[in-house]
Amino acid sequence: MRGAVADTGDAAVLRAMLDAEVALIHAQAALGMAPRKAAGAVAAAARTGAFDLPGLAERARSGGNPVIPLVADLRAAAEPYGHHVHRGATSQDILDTALMLVAHRTLGPVLSDLGRVVNALTRLAGEHRDTPMAARTLTQQAVPTTFGLKAVGWRQLAADARTRLLAARHALPAQLGGAAGTLAAFHP
């Protein structure tokens, strides 16, 4: 299983920024706003290992945004189609979308883990549906209950958390408004 750093660290954010730029050029090519060859060239150039992550971080200081040096490098790598990279988008469009991609990708393993927890608790509840135990109220022993009922309560909490996270994952937005947020840069 991958770790939190691999899923959310600098390399994951770089990959997501590149994916956002590639998605943008593919959408523009599909709409006839960029040549299809440009989309292919940008996608081929957008290999994570081809970019100097520490160098991008260093160069991001002047503009306060890592997309600015990334776009310069991606344009150079995508020549002769480099001038089609990032057309109409803002650095904030790409960065915001990339961070939502990271969140979306990170929630996948969390949702899988919660699914396994729900399944395990379902089995546990079934196996112990008739196993008696003392219930508690404010740490004091109360009337008897079953361990199965206790496990069902835990299962419900895990299932509810999974449902809420799944809804949040589906609601993560992409950002593309251009400089004034009006999409004006995308109209001929």
Side-chain angles (χ1 to χ4, degrees), residues 51-142:
F51 295 87
D52 172 26
L53 192 50
L56 286 171
E58 180 68 32
R59 291 168 36 225
R61 288 181 181 181
S62 64
N65 187 318
V67 177
I68 297 166
L70 178 66
V71 167
D73 293 353
L74 187 55
R75 283 179 174 155
E79 282 302 328
Y81 297 102
H83 62 282
H84 291 285
V85 171
H86 195 76
R87 207 178 243 179
T90 66
S91 297
Q92 201 64 52
D93 289 335
I94 298 303
L95 187 58
D96 289 351
T97 298
L99 293 176
M100 292 300 101
L101 283 171
V102 168
H104 186 274
R105 291 168 180 169
T106 302
L107 284 173
V110 173
L111 288 164
S112 293
D113 285 350
L114 278 171
R116 285 189 292 278
V117 168
V118 167
N119 291 338
L121 288 171
T122 300
R123 282 191 304 278
L124 187 67
E127 291 168 5
H128 293 280
R129 66 179 288 160
D130 296 321
T131 303
M133 68 173 277
R136 299 269 174 201
T137 177
L138 297 175
T139 71
Q140 302 298 311
Q141 186 170 328

